[in-house]
Amino acid sequence: MRKSALAAAICLAVLSLPAWPAGGGGGGGGGGGVETKPVDPNYTTAQAAIKAEQWKDAIGRLTLVIQVDPNNADAWNLLGFSYRHIGDMDNSFKHYERALQLNPKHRDAHEYIGEAYLQVGRVQDAEAHLKALDKLCWLPCEQYTELKEKIENYKRNGNGGKS
């Protein structure tokens, strides 16, 4: 209920803003002064390996990424995800926890560690990460919705809905 009221208030606020005309001067080539860091090719390759469910290749590539950039919370999170998919839960938890140390607001890491906790039967720990997502997502976000559904399935079926 609280989120619905907030969503309605945000929508009303946005709709009440004046419409500004488009276009206009400036003329620059327009990067807006924001510098972006180039994406590590190992990270890109790891993402492709994950999509192809080539977990060990992803782990190798992501290990190279964190050697170069040890503060890359996304890489630590994907390492946890990959280890979870090969059944190495100790390494999975270790890497998710590192991602959350680096970025306590990392929504994917909260979702994925919650799923990992369900995988080992630790429902209360999964629910703790659902609560964290509830605080992080002003409006219902995909990570919150998915983890909530998986927790409900786990409680209903006793195994997260897996057969």
Side-chain angles (χ1 to χ4, degrees), residues 8-91:
I10 290 171
C11 287
L12 286 174
V14 169
L15 292 173
S16 67
L17 292 173
W20 299 103
V34 176
E35 292 184 36
T36 58
K37 186 173 160 182
V39 176
D40 184 328
N42 282 311
Y43 187 82
T44 305
T45 303
Q47 289 178 308
I50 288 169
K51 285 181 183 171
E53 298 184 4
Q54 297 170 341
W55 309 114
K56 290 184 180 182
D57 184 38
I59 289 167
R61 296 294 182 150
L62 291 164
T63 299
L64 295 173
V65 172
I66 63 169
Q67 287 173 353
V68 173
D69 184 6
N71 294 323
N72 186 330
D74 293 330
W76 286 100
N77 175 55
L78 290 179
L79 266 168
F81 185 82
S82 298
Y83 275 113
R84 179 165 57 103
H85 280 84
I86 63 167
D88 185 343
M89 300 308 287
D90 289 338
N91 270 315

Side-chain angles (χ1 to χ4, degrees), residues 89 93 110-133 147-161:
M89 300 308 287
F93 286 117
H110 280 291
E111 176 191 354
Y112 296 155
I113 197 171
E115 292 172 1
Y117 280 128
L118 290 176
Q119 204 169 323
V120 298
R122 293 172 55 181
V123 181
Q124 287 182 327
D125 291 321
E127 288 173 330
H129 286 278
L130 183 65
K131 286 180 185 175
L133 284 168
L147 183 56
K148 181 178 180 182
E149 182 178 303
K150 288 180 180 180
I151 290 170
E152 289 169 353
N153 286 342
Y154 185 92
K155 287 179 174 181
R156 187 172 32 256
N157 300 322
N159 62 358

